[in-house]
Each structure stands twice: as structure tokens, then as C-alpha cells.
Amino acid sequence: MFFGRDDKKEAQKRGLTVPLLPLRDIIVFPHMVVPLFVGREKSIAALKDAMAHKGPDDKAVILLAAQKKAKTNDPSPDDIFHFGTMGHVIQLLPLPDGTVKVLVEGVRRAKVKKFHPNDAFFMVEVEEVEEQTEKSVELEALVRSVHSVFEAFVKLNKRIPPEMLMQVASIDDPARLADTIVAHLSLKLNDKQALLETESPAKRLEKLYELMQGEIEILQVEKKIRTRVKKQMEKTQKEYYLNEQMQAIQKELGERDEFKNEIQEIEEKLKNKRMSKEATLKVKKELKKLRMMSPMSAEATVVRNYIDWIISLPWYDETQDRLDVTEAETVLNEDHYGLKKPKERILEYLAVQQLVKKLKGPVLCFVGPPGVGKTSLARSIARATGRKFVRLSLGGVRDEAEIRGHRRTYIGAMPGKLIQSLKKAGSNNPVFLLDEIDKMSTDFRGDPSAALLEVLDPEQNHNFNDHYLDLDYDLSKVMFICTANTMHNIPGPLQDRMEVIRIAGYTEPEKLSIARRYLIPKEQEANGLSDIKVDFSHEALRTIIHRYTRESGVRSLEREIGGVYRKIARDVLKNGKRDIEVDRKMAMKFLGTPRYRYGVAEREDQVGIVTGLAWTELGGEILTTEATVMPGKGKLIITGKLGEVMQESAQAAMSYVRSRAERFGIDRKVFENYDIHVHLPEGAIPKDGPSAGVTICTALVSALTRVLIRRDVAMTGEITLRGRVLPIGGLKEKTLAAHRAGIKTVLIPKANKKDLKDIPLKIRKQLRIVPVEFVDDVLREALVLEKPEEFGRKPVSDGLKLPSATETPSSPAPAPV
């Protein structure tokens, strides 16, 4: 209800009581007509009460106040702003769904003084805010500024009709101007509420000016973005139009559209190519993208290459396995001499494959010295099984991307070597050789051996994911074969995924047989002497093996035989064709001065000189150990470029000898007045490992007791301080080295008896192999003793005669007592 000016002031003092309509996400300003849809029961009841209690001017009065949170469905007085707008209900229209459409007009600002208790709706006591405007030059300037900014705002904001500009231009009242303009701005609820609560028209216009300036800046940025996007679209449309015109001209001239033909060709390949579902969907998606690109763009080239790689891979193309075990055995025996274990494993795989429909490809790792035929054996396996053969050399690989590929975001990205090799093979079940797997290394680009963990795991490699393809590829049918010279460079987790098959070096009889059956015919054909009879004598081949090669394999032997054939080829061209027999003298004449001193046993029994056995990457070697005693201060001198482990073995051997000095008949003063020097010849070659313990101990006992050591005895084994002989590795290679050197007796740790079956039977028959458990057993066999059975119980001599300072270490020792 409304009153005259005097009555109004009186009413403001005592306050008006009117119903309150809470609004969601909207604020009604004075002079603003707004349609509202009301659905809440309390709100409908408030409207009905306002309509029922109209004032004298027949107008329904209600307070319009906004909720603080729009989502609140049943607000309390604290959830409603206490500053709103007194309004008239112009029209109330009930709707069929129970809601009400109401048209309200804002009249003036009002503050809530008090909420009256009422359950049906909010009944509040309000105080109307009287707006008083005092005209001033500053206010007039502010009104003009607001008019100007609003005009700029309307030009940028297309949602406001131009008629609104004329309507606002006619308003001179600052309060009404601010309330009219704010209704057309997209402001946050809190900003609008702040403007509503600003009682001073001047301050309200200032805030409105700031807010409009901010909106204008945002609209200007939006306009720039729209303009830039429009220009880009126009450029793209122009290029598309010109391309279409060019294609039309080419069609008229009868020229082929290469790009379209290329896409059609890819589509044909896709129809005929059997791939995984994931790969097919990926190609279709990329093909769709390719159609929309310009043929000359760089991105189109990348997409074409990607599609080519996917389609060219052998997803389900595989060769039929040749599962005839007998035929496979024949092929393996034709290609390689010996190598019993690897051949047995391959034949076992073929036998199981014949019985089982699907078998996961095995992961074999051939470990052995260079030149023993690891790589060529893998090629023979492919021939025996009827599969394609792929070789990937991992020597020196440092980058993980070599295995997994680069992501397509990189320029010039390609799949990894695995996927490239499979494409080259054209089959998804080849024999895949990972050569020199122990030569990989790590740097900042990643660890390639870690990338191989997934590849070589039969439980995981059925969904190998290459970074370039970004698709799962099945590697479970691939037969992986790895080769390595040593195992210690291969990480433990990678070793765990492989079945290790050790390939030892060849014996001398095996080398002779390989030379006769494989190397001589191969080199004779390679050097163009197939029509000439060249006969190598047995002694010539033995000389080449002993004096010109030092290896476990046959690579150098093949090279030297090739050298002989080249000399023969030159002789044939000079003197004409004739049959040639190569004997020992002719071989040495052709090959020149011998390169190696053939390791042979000592010619006579000596004091302090023991024949030991060592393992190297090239196979077994004999390792002579020397010990001598000289005046000094009780030092133990160890030379020969020995590693830490071997030096510790020497210390342990010395401690054992000192602990049993009385048993050996050694005067304890010797350890105080004399130095003992242990030396392993060929000092430039690094040596390490614990298996020289028994050798050093025997040399020390001999040097201190002046008892001779048998020249035809060689030994190997690690010792403890209690004199126990511990097992060692590389027994086969060491035994073969002893046999080559003409040794008759080989002393091995008792725990290595189980490894004797790996030594060829022919070698075992020619050697006397003695398993020993304690150092005393070694000394009984190695020392020249009259009563070996009493060794260790009684002194070996009547007292040690210490050598004089002038006596040479190599002088013959006195005969034992």
C-alpha cells in the first residue's frame, strides 16, 4: 500500500508488513517489468496473499528479494538477501501444471527490518529507501559518460537491440538510468546485488561505469578472436575451392588424380588385408582424416606413412611349420658339427609343437665364446623348422626407442627395429635372432634391456605395444633366440625370461672335423679353386690350430685356411693348375711366423712351478703359477696383474700354508726372514677369479719345502682357510685346455664331478681326472713324494734348507727324502 509524502514518511518510521517472494538467479530493479514462473508453495502463497490484500490504489504489493544460493529449494531468512525491491503484481496467471506465471514491476528499493513468524510464506517488515538526487556538474558528467560507454557496449553486444539505445538516451534521472542499464548487462548475481544495495545514484553510476568498461574489454577480445577465426575459415574455404577447381581442370584434361588413386589403393588393401580389429579401426580413422587434408601438407605425408606401416605388417600372415623331427635333425647335422644340447632342445620343441595345436614360442639364449656357431645355428633352426629368419644385432644399442620406436609426434618417427624386422620377414612367426644381447648398454635415452623384458616374456608379448604404432601386436608366435658371450652383462630379470643353453668351445678333434667338412670346401669355392684338388694334411691343420689361432670357436681358423687358399690361388695363376698337397711346412710358409706359443706342459718337474687352468671368453687356457723364496722381512708379493679376488685367494693360500707349516716341515722363521713372491706370467693380461687358490697353495708349499711338482698335473679349484676345495665354473673349457697342452692328470673339486658328463667321452678317456676334496689331496697328487699316503701326518723332509741369496729360483731342487 502506498501513501502521500507525509503519510509515507510516517509509514517508513513504523514500517510496512508485506509478503516476500524469494527469487533464484535474478534481481528485479526499480522500473523493471519481469515475467516470473513460480512453482514453490510458499512463493505461490505469498503471491496469493499480496493479491488478496491490495492497497487503496488497487495494487498488490510484494517484496522481491534474491536468494544467496539458487540451488536452495527451501530457503531460510539467512539464505535471502535483506535488501530487495518493492514491486507490484501486475498479472497473475495459474498454469495447468500447478505453477503460476506472474508479471511483476519493480517500484523502489527496500530493506528488510524484520521477518514475522509465518509458516505459509515469508511475511516481512520493510523500510523503503528514499532516493534523493542532488544535481551537480560531476553527476551530469558521470551521466554522459555512462551514456557514451553504454552506446559502445551496445555496438559490440549484438544481443541488445538498437532501440534500447534510444530508450536509454532519453533518461536523464541518474537513479533510473543506472537501474535501466544494469538490467541489460550479463553480470554476476553478487555484482547486481551490490548495485541494488548502493543507495547513492552517483556511486551506483560509478560502479556501473567500471563494470561496463570491463565488459567492453571482454567483448573486444571476443571480436578479435571471431575475426581471426573467420579469416582462417575463409582461407581454408578458399584453398578447398581452388583444390576442387584444380581437380576439375585435371579431370577435363584427362590427367589422373594421384591422391585420390592413392586413397582408393589404400582402401583396396584394407579390404583384402586381415588385421586385428583395433588396427582396422585405426586405419579407417586415419584414412578419414587423410581425405580431409591437402595432399601436399606435411601432416598428410605422416598419416600416409603411418597407414602404410600398419597395412604392411604381417598381422596374421604366417609360414607353415615343418614339424618332421627326423628331417629337422638331418638339417641341423648337415649345418653344424657337435652342439648336442642346442639341437636336442630344438627337436624337443618341434616334437611338442607336433602334439600341441598352439605352443608359445620359446626364448632360447645361446651363451658361448665367439666363433662357436651361435648365429649360424639360429639360421639353421629357421631352415629346419621352415620359418623365415630375421636377425637384429643389439651390439652397442643404447636407445630404448630402437626396440619400442618413437612416438608419431617426433619428426621422422619410425617403428622400433622389432616391428621393422617383422615387416621385412613378412611373417608373424619367424625365427628372430637377437644377436649380442650382452653388448647392450644404458644411457640418458633409456635402458633397451628393460624394453626387451616385455618382448621376451611369453606371458606378455601377445600384446606388445610399439610407441609408433600405438597398437597391440602379437609376438607370441615368434621364436626368439638370443646370443651372448657372457651372462654377467645381462640383467637378472632378462636372464630369468630366457632358457640359457651354454655352448662350450670346440675340442681339437672337433675343430679338425669342422675344418675338413665345412671350412675347407667353403674357402675352396670362395677363392675360385673348386676345379683344383687341394689336400690339407692332418699335421698342417693341427699346426694352423695350435700356432696361428687361439680361440674356442673356428672363426680365426676359417680366416687362416682362407689365407692359405689365397696364396694357392696366386700360385695357380703364376704356375698353372695342378694338384696341391698342403703339409705342415707349406702351411707355415704361406702363413708366415707363428703368432702364438702353443701352451704345453712343462718339460721337467720343477720346484714352485704349477700348471693351473683358467677360463676366458675365448675358452680354456693353461695358467702357469710360479712361487719363489728370497731373503727379506716376511712379505707376500703377488704380481701378474691380478684382480682383487685372485689376490685374496693368494692371501688365503698363504694363511693355510702357515697354519700347517709344522706338518709340511717348514721352519716358522722362514715367514719372518724371507719374502715369498707369487707370480702369474703374461703380466699384461688381467686375471681374476677364485679358482687359482689350489694352484697358488701348491706353488707355495713346493717353494717352501723344495719338493718338486709333477709336470703332467694341472689343477683348478677354490680353497678355504681350512683347506677345503670348493667348486668352480667352466670345467669343460679348462679340461679341453689341459688336453691340448698334453697334461695327463687333471685335479678338479669333488663338487664338480657332476659336470664331467659335459666333457666329450674321447677326452675323458685320454685324461686321468681326479676329484679332490681337501688341499692335502691336491698336494699328494701334485708333489713328487716317496710316501704320498703319509703326507700331512709327517714332515715331507728332514728340515727345510733355505735357499741362499745367490741361488737362482729355477735351479733344480734337491731330491726329496
Side-chain angles (χ1 to χ4, degrees):
M1 54 180 63
F2 297 96
F3 310 90
R5 177 175 289 276
D6 296 334
D7 296 335
K8 194 184 297 178
K9 288 180 180 179
E10 187 64 29
Q12 285 177 348
K13 288 178 183 177
R14 66 176 184 271
L16 292 172
T17 302
V18 294
L20 182 143
L21 179 65
L23 305 176
R24 301 193 205 206
D25 276 337
I26 188 171
I27 290 177
V28 178
F29 285 86
H31 316 293
M32 183 177 174
V33 179
V34 184
L36 301 172
F37 289 90
V38 181
R40 290 184 284 192
E41 291 182 6
K42 279 189 176 184
S43 300
I44 293 171
L47 288 168
K48 287 180 179 178
D49 183 81
M51 294 297 289
H53 299 87
K54 293 183 179 180
D57 51 0
D58 198 31
K59 290 186 178 179
V61 181
I62 195 166
L63 181 67
L64 304 166
Q67 292 180 194
K68 293 177 180 177
K69 291 183 179 179
K71 292 182 179 178
T72 307
N73 206 31
D74 188 14
S76 65
D78 293 334
D79 295 327
I80 300 170
F81 289 110
H82 288 197
F83 205 108
T85 304
M86 294 292 289
H88 290 159
V89 179
I90 299 172
Q91 186 181 12
L92 187 70
L93 180 64
L95 298 176
D97 59 355
T99 61
V100 173
K101 181 180 179 182
V102 61
L103 191 66
V104 295
E105 180 187 8
V107 180
R108 64 173 57 86
R109 288 168 169 76
K111 296 178 184 177
V112 177
K113 292 176 70 178
K114 184 180 178 183
F115 278 83
H116 289 291
N118 191 348
D119 293 335
F121 55 88
F122 291 112
M123 182 66 77
V124 293
E125 186 178 326
V126 298
E127 178 187 344
E128 294 182 345
V129 177
E130 184 69 25
E131 297 180 355
Q132 295 180 355
T133 307
E134 294 181 4
K135 291 190 176 182
S136 64
V137 177
E138 186 179 348
L139 187 60
E140 182 66 27
L142 193 57
V143 169
R144 289 184 183 181
S145 298
V146 170
H147 275 298
S148 175
V149 171
F150 184 70
E151 185 179 351
F153 178 76
V154 171
K155 286 179 181 178
L156 288 169
N157 193 342
K158 303 298 181 184
R159 289 192 291 267
I160 299 175
E163 296 82 15
M164 190 65 205
L165 192 60
M166 296 179 66
Q167 183 183 340
V168 170
S170 63
I171 301 172
D172 292 329
D173 181 25
R176 185 166 185 177
L177 177 66
D179 291 341
T180 304
I181 290 175
V182 74
H184 294 87
L185 298 181
S186 301
L187 300 176
K188 293 178 182 177
L189 185 71
N190 289 333
D191 291 336
K192 285 189 175 183
Q193 182 67 29
L195 284 168
L196 183 67
E197 293 180 4
T198 305
E199 297 180 13
S200 169
K203 289 184 179 179
R204 205 182 308 154
L205 283 173
E206 284 182 12
K207 283 187 179 181
L208 186 62
Y209 183 83
E210 289 177 11
L211 290 169
M212 279 198 296
Q213 285 284 16
E215 286 292 315
I216 286 171
E217 287 181 11
I218 293 170
L219 289 171
Q220 285 174 341
V221 172
E222 286 181 354
K223 186 179 179 182
K224 284 181 183 177
I225 293 170
R226 281 198 304 271
T227 306
R228 189 162 62 244
V229 171
K230 185 180 177 184
K231 284 182 180 178
Q232 186 65 35
M233 288 178 66
E234 287 174 354
K235 184 182 177 183
T236 306
Q237 287 174 347
K238 181 182 177 183
E239 286 179 357
Y240 175 75
Y241 177 70
L242 291 173
N243 279 326
E244 288 296 318
Q245 277 191 328
M246 191 184 294
Q247 289 174 11
I249 292 167
Q250 286 176 348
K251 193 172 182 181
E252 283 295 321
L253 292 172
E255 294 178 6
R256 295 177 64 209
D257 185 357
E258 294 293 338
F259 188 59
K260 277 192 175 180
N261 287 339
E262 189 177 355
I263 291 177
Q264 288 175 0
E265 190 179 334
I266 293 171
E267 287 174 343
E268 287 297 321
K269 285 182 181 178
L270 187 59
K271 286 179 185 176
N272 301 325
K273 182 72 176 180
R274 187 168 168 236
M275 300 189 294
S276 68
K277 187 178 179 181
E278 183 188 12
T280 306
L281 291 173
K282 190 77 171 178
V283 171
K284 287 180 178 178
K285 184 179 176 182
E286 294 293 324
L287 200 56
K288 185 179 178 182
K289 195 190 298 180
L290 184 62
R291 286 195 192 97
M292 302 179 70
M293 291 180 182
S294 168
M296 304 305 292
S297 68
E299 184 66 21
T301 306
V302 172
V303 173
R304 278 200 296 264
N305 286 340
Y306 180 67
I307 292 172
D308 282 343
W309 270 107
I310 295 177
I311 292 179
S312 61
L313 286 176
W315 292 91
Y316 295 104
D317 304 332
E318 59 183 73
T319 53
Q320 190 66 34
D321 280 349
R322 191 189 298 131
L323 301 176
D324 189 338
V325 178
T326 307
E327 186 181 347
E329 187 175 5
T330 305
V331 170
L332 290 173
N333 288 332
E334 279 178 6
D335 290 351
H336 288 83
Y337 183 85
L339 303 178
K340 185 179 177 183
K341 274 193 177 180
K343 290 178 181 177
E344 282 182 357
R345 180 63 186 87
I346 300 308
L347 297 175
E348 287 166 8
Y349 167 73
L350 292 176
V352 175
Q353 181 84 344
Q354 199 167 351
L355 297 171
V356 181
K357 290 184 179 179
K358 187 176 180 183
L359 180 67
K360 291 175 183 175
V363 181
L364 306 179
C365 183
F366 297 150
V367 180
V372 294
K374 300 185 294 295
T375 303
S376 60
L377 180 60
R379 191 175 279 106
S380 295
I381 290 168
R383 191 163 81 89
T385 55
R387 295 189 178 198
K388 298 287 183 68
F389 176 73
V390 185
R391 177 180 172 271
L392 173 59
S393 178
L394 296 175
V397 171
R398 295 171 177 265
D399 192 352
E400 181 195 352
E402 293 280 333
I403 308 297
R404 284 192 173 276
H406 294 88
R407 300 194 184 279
R408 277 198 291 159
T409 51
Y410 293 101
I411 296 171
M414 289 184 71
K417 290 288 180 65
L418 277 167
I419 296 296
Q420 290 182 40
S421 300
L422 287 171
K423 178 189 174 184
K424 191 189 298 182
S427 161
N428 72 341
N429 66 336
V431 172
F432 202 123
L433 176 65
L434 298 171
D435 215 359
E436 309 291 354
I437 199 170
D438 58 329
K439 305 298 188 302
M440 286 189 298
S441 53
T442 306
D443 68 0
F444 64 94
R445 289 168 290 188
D447 186 357
S449 62
L452 282 175
L453 292 177
E454 180 188 2
V455 175
L456 298 180
D457 191 342
E459 299 299 326
Q460 298 179 37
N461 62 11
H462 59 276
N463 55 0
F464 170 71
N465 194 288
D466 185 272
H467 286 160
Y468 178 81
L469 297 180
D470 198 22
L471 297 168
D472 289 342
Y473 191 90
D474 187 3
L475 295 175
S476 61
K477 294 182 180 179
V478 179
M479 186 177 189
F480 285 104
I481 296 177
C482 308
T483 68
N485 295 129
T486 57
M487 289 295 291
H488 63 266
N489 290 331
I490 305 174
L494 196 56
Q495 290 186 31
D496 186 55
R497 283 161 167 79
M498 301 185 294
E499 182 180 342
V500 177
I501 298 175
R502 296 192 178 273
I503 302 178
Y506 293 117
T507 63
E508 186 180 307
E510 286 174 338
K511 285 185 180 181
L512 290 168
S513 297
I514 291 168
R516 293 268 182 218
R517 292 173 59 176
Y518 302 102
L519 304 183
I520 289 176
K522 180 181 175 183
E523 289 300 323
Q524 187 161 346
E525 184 178 352
N527 288 281
L529 298 172
S530 302
D531 54 344
I532 296 176
K533 185 180 178 182
V534 179
D535 187 20
F536 275 80
S537 70
H538 190 74
E539 285 302 316
L541 286 176
R542 281 176 61 91
T543 301
I544 295 173
I545 292 169
H546 291 166
R547 306 300 301 275
Y548 294 92
T549 64
R550 179 176 285 179
E551 58 176 351
S552 291
V554 291
R555 193 171 284 143
S556 295
L557 178 59
E558 181 181 359
R559 205 158 35 239
E560 298 303 325
I561 291 173
V564 172
Y565 270 108
R566 286 193 297 275
K567 294 287 194 300
I568 292 172
R570 182 182 173 187
D571 183 66
V572 165
L573 288 176
K574 187 176 181 181
N575 300 319
K577 294 183 179 181
R578 56 190 176 87
D579 293 345
I580 297 173
E581 183 175 348
V582 181
D583 57 11
R584 180 173 175 274
K585 284 185 179 180
M586 186 180 289
M588 292 185 73
K589 178 185 174 184
F590 285 159
L591 297 178
T593 307
R595 295 185 184 86
Y596 302 106
R597 181 175 63 86
Y598 180 52
V600 293
E602 296 294 329
R603 295 183 179 179
E604 57 184 14
D605 300 341
Q606 297 187 57
V607 171
I609 298 180
V610 187
T611 304
L613 299 173
W615 180 90
T616 69
E617 290 185 7
L618 300 175
E621 290 286 344
I622 63 168
L623 189 67
T624 304
T625 303
E626 300 176 346
T628 187
V629 181
M630 55 195 153
K633 296 181 180 180
K635 289 183 184 177
L636 176 62
I637 303 166
I638 307 166
T639 56
K641 204 172 184 182
L642 310 185
E644 289 184 9
V645 177
M646 192 171 276
Q647 290 185 34
E648 288 173 0
S649 290
Q651 295 284 354
M654 187 64 192
S655 296
Y656 174 74
V657 173
R658 291 184 67 173
S659 67
R660 293 182 59 85
E662 291 181 5
R663 290 283 186 182
F664 298 150
I666 302 170
D667 189 350
R668 290 194 177 277
K669 291 181 180 179
V670 171
F671 302 112
E672 298 173 5
N673 301 325
Y674 287 84
D675 291 341
I676 301 169
H677 188 163
V678 177
H679 177 67
L680 280 78
E682 298 187 27
I685 301 172
K687 309 169 192 72
D688 203 2
S691 59
V694 293
T695 313
I696 296 171
C697 183
T698 305
L700 288 172
V701 172
S702 173
L704 290 168
T705 59
R706 309 302 293 168
V707 176
L708 297 173
I709 297 173
R710 297 184 187 279
R711 65 181 182 278
D712 58 352
V713 173
M715 61 189 70
T716 181
E718 181 181 356
I719 68 163
T720 67
L721 292 176
R722 294 173 297 160
R724 186 176 293 276
V725 181
L726 301 181
I728 45 84
L731 182 65
K732 180 182 177 182
E733 289 83 355
K734 292 177 179 179
T735 311
L736 295 180
H739 178 261
R740 278 201 306 268
I743 299 294
K744 302 298 181 186
T745 303
V746 178
L747 309 181
I748 66 168
K750 194 172 184 179
N752 284 109
K753 274 183 74 174
K754 64 183 188 308
D755 301 321
L756 290 174
K757 63 180 183 296
D758 296 334
I759 302 169
L761 182 62
K762 189 175 180 180
I763 302 297
R764 272 185 280 164
K765 286 182 177 178
Q766 294 178 10
L767 289 174
R768 176 173 170 258
I769 300 174
V770 182
V772 292
E773 192 172 3
F774 296 97
V775 174
D776 287 0
D777 302 331
V778 175
L779 297 174
R780 289 190 191 102
E781 288 287 341
L783 297 178
V784 180
L785 302 168
E786 287 189 357
K787 296 179 180 180
E789 68 280 356
E790 294 182 359
F791 178 78
R793 300 185 183 90
K794 295 181 180 180
V796 294
S797 63
D798 291 336
L800 178 65
K801 294 179 182 179
L802 295 174
S804 64
T806 57
E807 186 178 355
T808 58
S810 60
S811 59
V817 176

